Amino acid sequence: MDLKDQIHKDLLPKHVAIIMDGNGRWAKQKGLMRVIGHENGTKSVRETVEASAELGIKNLTLYAFSTENWRRPKLEVQTLMKLLVKSLKKEIKTLQDNNIRLLAIGALSDLPKKAYEELQYVIEKTKNNEHMTLTLALSYGSREEIVNVIKELSVKVKNNIISPENIDESIINKHLYTQNLPDVDLLIRTSGEQRISNFLLWQIAYAELYFTDIFWPDFKKHNLYEALIDYQNRERRFGKTSEQLT
Ligand code: IPE
Ligand code: IPE
Ligand code: MG
């Protein structure tokens, strides 16, 4: 049976998040410049977005650039930002044709003006699409996100808009960048690294983690199918016993 046919449509994760890692090593292995790895990584983005939309996954979040990635060589950062603008211009049609809404999370005002404006343009153009929500994490850091929530809530407490006793998980959710997204069900990381790298720390509290050695530019539709099949074979107990679930 085809891999795709082994996926149960009624047991799909509501939210898949991916740490797209390994572009640099993919290129190095081939004796190419890191930048070529990033360029080829954009093809995997397209494959993954298409495959997710075809299957009916409602939310896909991709870690494209972290707050820590600003520490990379200036030329690499510039190239990544140029690639972002290029991809947005190229893919807006795919998003529209497939009824996909684009969102972005992170310290977006830190992006170069051109990237910021192109991003806002595509977000605005696709805002009424409802088949799938694609969220790009750009200049994203989870700790920074949480610090911002605490600052905002402190101001609200100070101004008597909310009282400390009323702070609960749902209020925190509403102040995160991901305020309108469900919790992550499945987190995938490529390239063999088994770490979270400051990604969605709050939102992955009960996510299933899936690590693959494949470098991101080699990640194709069947790799996503494999991850989903693995996910669907796990028992998510959320603290309960196995017996309670049946
Ligand atoms: C992921 O690939 C892309 C970004 C972090 C922007 P890397 O560039 O981290 O590739 P490796 O980890 O060096 O192989
Ligand atoms: C995490 O990858 C960030 C993105 C995929 C955008 P990195 O390659 O930057 O992570 P570390 O620094 O190796 O943990
Ligand atoms: Mg990396």
Side-chain angles (χ1 to χ4, degrees), residues 81-213:
M81 293 302 151
K82 278 190 198 151
L83 258 180
L84 171 65
V85 175
K86 196 174 146 191
S87 306
L88 286 166
K89 281 190 199 295
K90 195 171 152 198
E91 300 303 336
I92 184 166
K93 192 176 177 313
T94 321
L95 297 179
Q96 296 294 37
D97 291 348
N98 292 288
N99 197 13
I100 299 169
R101 171 172 74 138
L102 185 77
L103 291 180
I105 54 172
L108 304 180
S109 54
D110 288 348
L111 296 173
K113 192 163 173 276
K114 225 172 163 186
Y116 179 82
E117 285 174 359
E118 194 62 38
L119 192 60
Q120 294 304 334
Y121 175 77
V122 181
I123 290 172
E124 175 60 27
K125 284 280 172 196
T126 60
K127 71 176 182 201
N128 294 322
N129 293 349
E130 50 195 10
H131 179 64
M132 182 175 94
T133 297
L134 168 65
T135 304
L136 296 181
L138 289 162
S139 189
Y140 175 86
S142 187
R143 286 190 168 183
E144 183 182 78
E145 177 181 36
I146 292 168
V147 167
N148 286 337
V149 171
I150 295 171
K151 280 187 186 157
E152 279 181 43
L153 289 175
S154 307
V155 172
K156 288 187 180 174
V157 167
K158 193 173 155 205
N159 295 332
N160 291 317
I161 297 168
I162 51 170
S163 66
E165 307 81 74
N166 289 337
I167 295 178
D168 60 9
E169 293 186 10
S170 101
I171 289 190
I172 292 178
N173 275 327
K174 282 184 196 120
H175 287 79
L176 290 164
Y177 292 133
T178 52
Q179 49 193 247
N180 296 315
L181 301 175
D183 277 351
V184 175
D185 293 309
L186 172 62
L187 175 72
I188 299 172
R189 183 170 189 148
T190 58
S191 90
E193 307 298 355
Q194 302 197 2
R195 54 175 174 262
I196 304 299
S197 304
N198 201 12
F199 190 42
L200 303 174
L201 299 177
W202 171 276
Q203 298 87 339
I204 61 167
Y206 250 111
E208 295 298 327
L209 309 181
Y210 180 89
F211 299 103
T212 167
D213 287 339

Side-chain angles (χ1 to χ4, degrees), residues 20-25 34 69 72 189 191 193 195:
M20 311 183 288
D21 198 14
N23 293 352
R25 279 164 285 164
R34 292 180 58 84
N69 288 147
R72 291 195 178 191
R189 183 170 189 148
S191 90
E193 307 298 355
R195 54 175 174 262

